[in-house]
Amino acid sequence: MIIDLSQIQHEPKTFYLWLPEEWWEQDVPGDQIQGLYQPVDACLTIARLGKRFMVRGNLRTVLMLQCDRCMELFGRELEGEFHLFLEPVQKKQDEEEEVELAGEEMGIDLIPGEEVELEQIIKEQIYLSIPMKTLCKDDCLGLCPVCGANRNIKKCSCHLTQGHPAFQELRKLL
Ligand SMILES: [Zn+2]
Ligand SMILES: [Zn+2]
């Protein structure tokens, strides 16, 4: 949903979004977020504050995450509120990078022109909501580095400390 911000004058406007599971597309393979288990339900209110716009919203979904340790997929409920500022700017091509950095520091998203895509805001907020490390559970045992078994499910009998580390690397290649 693309919103023309010039339409928002004295009265704030509220938008409702419902994004099906298929909406989510991975930016990079191996991303922590593998998809959605439930559609995104979101509501955003945009108000004009001088030359800026204040966005307040909330969203609800269930993320499909990949555990950093055991690589299994698991669901995590996400329900939260957020707010951010948008500032439309007219900028020259070569200034682009500098302007973006300055904006990030102040917690303001600079956008080219007066149009904003709400799906993009939702996507950013979803990325901001996940931790650096995603674990299916705090005490996830991860994969055995020797045989690759998921140690949450199966106890293997590999001896992890045996041999020179170089041989273990070699075994991985074989
Ligand atoms: Zn895990
Ligand atoms: Zn093993």
Side-chain angles (χ1 to χ4, degrees):
M1 193 191 289
I2 292 176
I3 302 301
D4 179 1
L5 293 173
S6 64
Q7 303 275 312
I8 300 170
Q9 294 296 335
H10 305 294
E11 290 289 310
K13 283 197 176 172
T14 299
F15 305 93
Y16 296 93
L17 272 91
W18 186 88
L19 305 166
E21 288 95 328
E22 310 84 74
W23 164 72
W24 188 269
E25 276 172 34
Q26 273 180 268
D27 284 345
V28 282
D31 198 341
Q32 283 173 312
I33 304 176
Q34 295 280 309
L36 304 173
Y37 282 123
Q38 263 178 38
V40 179
D41 234 331
C43 167
L44 292 93
T45 300
I46 306 179
R48 182 183 283 273
L49 284 177
K51 62 188 172 99
R52 288 184 186 146
F53 294 87
M54 186 174 72
V55 182
R56 283 193 305 150
N58 57 68
L59 68 94
R60 197 170 57 194
T61 186
V62 179
L63 302 176
M64 185 195 292
L65 301 178
Q66 185 169 39
C67 177
D68 283 332
R69 275 190 206 151
C70 71
M71 313 305 280
E72 291 291 320
L73 298 180
F74 64 99
R76 178 172 290 168
E77 250 181 77
L78 171 61
E79 186 166 7
E81 294 179 1
F82 56 87
H83 70 272
L84 57 124
F85 293 93
L86 300 174
E87 185 171 334
V89 284
Q90 311 293 339
K91 60 195 174 186
K92 284 186 230 145
Q93 203 64 32
D94 56 334
E95 285 176 330
E96 198 163 330
E97 216 165 320
E98 228 169 298
V99 173
E100 262 172 32
L101 283 177
E104 250 169 55
E105 273 169 38
M106 296 183 291
I108 297 165
D109 278 2
L110 299 176
I111 51 168
E114 289 257 280
E115 286 187 340
V116 62
E117 195 185 348
L118 298 186
E119 286 86 344
Q120 197 53 42
I121 294 179
I122 301 285
K123 194 166 189 180
E124 271 177 35
Q125 294 304 315
I126 289 176
Y127 270 113
L128 288 173
S129 75
I130 58 163
M132 290 288 284
K133 244 187 164 350
T134 50
L135 296 178
C136 62
K137 52 186 181 181
D138 287 341
D139 59 349
C140 171
L141 298 171
L143 300 177
C144 168
V146 180
C147 72
N150 181 345
R151 292 189 288 191
N152 298 308
I153 299 169
K154 184 179 134 197
K155 262 201 160 56
C156 60
S157 50
C158 302
H159 299 284
L160 297 181
T161 48
Q162 249 181 17
H164 191 273
F167 287 113
Q168 286 182 9
E169 283 303 306
L170 192 65
R171 225 175 296 162
K172 248 187 263 169
L173 293 175
L174 295 172

